[in-house]
Amino acid sequence: MAIGDWGRDGLRHQSDVAAAMARAASEFGSRFVISTGDNFYPAGVKSTSDPQWKTSFEDVYTAPSLQTPWFVALGNHDYRGSAQAQVAYSRVSTRWQMPSPYFSTDAAKTGIRDLEIFYLDTTPLSGGWGEKLEDLAHGHQPPHETRKQIAWLNENLGRSSAAWKIVVGHHPIYSGGRHGDTPSLVEAIQPMLKANGVQAYLNGHDHALQHIQRDGVDYICSGSGASAGSARAIEGTRFRSSRAGFAMFSLTGESLDLEFRDFTGAALYQASLPRRRG
């Protein structure tokens, strides 16, 4: 399962989405949850004892079916608090998994053979002056590990022997939502996806559900974990929805099956994505 842009103290549609996720996770035996970032609004958390750990996470996703590992990416709102506190919470919670700002998981972590997922920290890569000013206004400036992180992704994608490779980042590469494309990621990350046989790039940031296909890569936005905004059709758009909800994935043989559900649990869209070769 994948959810993004969700930490609202249970308000808006966060609790509704959590309930729908719980039913779906139980129905399909979900093994883990991916968060595409913006985990706590409006300004992240201050420490591992911040009250929002309970009000936006522990007391919202309470169902037994959601007590699985949560592999978590950082978003721009998370940098308005302490991003390091979210890394450190991995040592407090057995469920919360963020060993560093960017990392990868393979079969040893997920239990799924032939799958490797790479989690990026896209805020330092996004290049947006508006976001940098917001971070500075909240007393924090993201570390500028741009070259190091890009080199890490390029090296590890090339070294991976997994049949299925997925990259997760908060900011979209391509999007029809309010924020739109992220030019710096189009330039730095998109060519790596294409060259290394990455099946899908999964993101949040735009509060919508979207499926876009370009140059053999599936761009999947799951960023409406609490509220939703508009999304227009752009080149490669296969689906878009302005409803709060989440994404579900199932890996079956030669295909990655995608389903979007809204905050009531209603199925909005289904697609079977054949495995990329190369």
Side-chain angles (χ1 to χ4, degrees):
M1 315 191 82
I3 185 175
D5 303 79
W6 44 268
R8 298 280 190 179
D9 294 317
L11 302 177
R12 302 193 182 182
H13 282 300
Q14 186 190 3
S15 292
D16 299 326
V17 172
M21 284 177 63
R23 294 192 296 271
S26 178
E27 178 184 354
F28 289 96
S30 174
R31 296 193 186 190
F32 58 92
V33 177
I34 292 171
S35 172
T36 60
D38 276 3
N39 309 309
F40 301 98
Y41 285 93
V45 291
K46 295 179 180 179
S47 69
T48 57
S49 58
D50 192 296
Q52 283 198 89
W53 285 111
K54 285 185 62 64
T55 59
S56 286
F57 179 57
E58 302 288 2
D59 291 348
V60 177
Y61 305 100
T62 58
S65 60
L66 298 179
Q67 305 309 302
T68 56
W70 283 54
F71 298 109
V72 186
L74 288 165
N76 55 296
H77 280 267
D78 299 314
Y79 265 112
R80 296 173 192 178
S82 170
Q84 189 57 40
Q86 295 196 36
V87 174
Y89 199 69
S90 299
R91 298 190 291 273
V92 176
S93 166
T94 57
R95 185 163 49 153
W96 187 269
Q97 301 289 315
M98 188 194 292
S100 60
Y102 54 92
F103 61 98
S104 66
T105 58
D106 57 15
K109 285 284 189 180
T110 64
I112 300 177
R113 186 168 52 89
D114 294 330
L115 171 68
E116 189 162 6
I117 306 176
F118 302 84
Y119 296 81
L120 297 180
D121 179 14
T122 59
T123 298
L125 305 178
S126 64
W129 281 106
E131 288 185 6
K132 290 178 181 178
L133 290 173
E134 283 283 356
D135 294 331
L136 288 168
H138 286 84
H140 183 77
Q141 187 172 5
H144 294 288
E145 288 194 342
T146 305
R147 292 181 182 176
K148 183 178 177 181
Q149 184 175 181
I150 290 172
W152 170 86
L153 180 63
N154 192 44
E155 178 183 353
N156 284 275
L157 282 177
R159 188 163 52 191
S160 175
S161 60
W164 295 90
K165 302 175 189 178
I166 294 174
V167 177
V168 178
H170 178 63
H171 294 78
I173 293 180
Y174 299 116
S175 174
R178 181 174 69 88
H179 296 101
D181 300 352
T182 308
S184 59
L185 299 185
V186 173
E187 179 182 354
I189 305 301
Q190 187 273 344
M192 278 191 250
L193 308 183
K194 187 176 177 181
N196 289 283
V198 172
Q199 177 70 44
Y201 178 84
L202 179 58
N203 66 272
H205 200 45
D206 275 328
H207 296 184
L209 303 171
Q210 300 178 78
H211 178 206
I212 298 165
Q213 288 181 325
R214 286 203 198 175
D215 296 324
V217 180
D218 293 282
Y219 297 91
I220 299 165
C221 176
S222 183
S224 58
S227 59
S230 62
R232 69 190 190 282
I234 62 171
E235 179 187 344
T237 296
R238 297 291 179 265
F239 175 80
R240 69 191 195 278
S241 173
S242 299
R243 291 180 68 79
F246 59 97
M248 299 169 55
F249 298 92
S250 179
L251 198 56
T252 55
E254 290 296 302
S255 69
L256 177 67
D257 296 334
L258 163 67
E259 181 174 334
F260 287 127
R261 293 193 179 189
D262 72 6
F263 63 92
T264 71
L268 302 176
Y269 174 73
Q270 294 177 328
S272 184
L273 315 177
R275 181 160 70 91
R276 283 197 68 195
R277 305 291 181 179

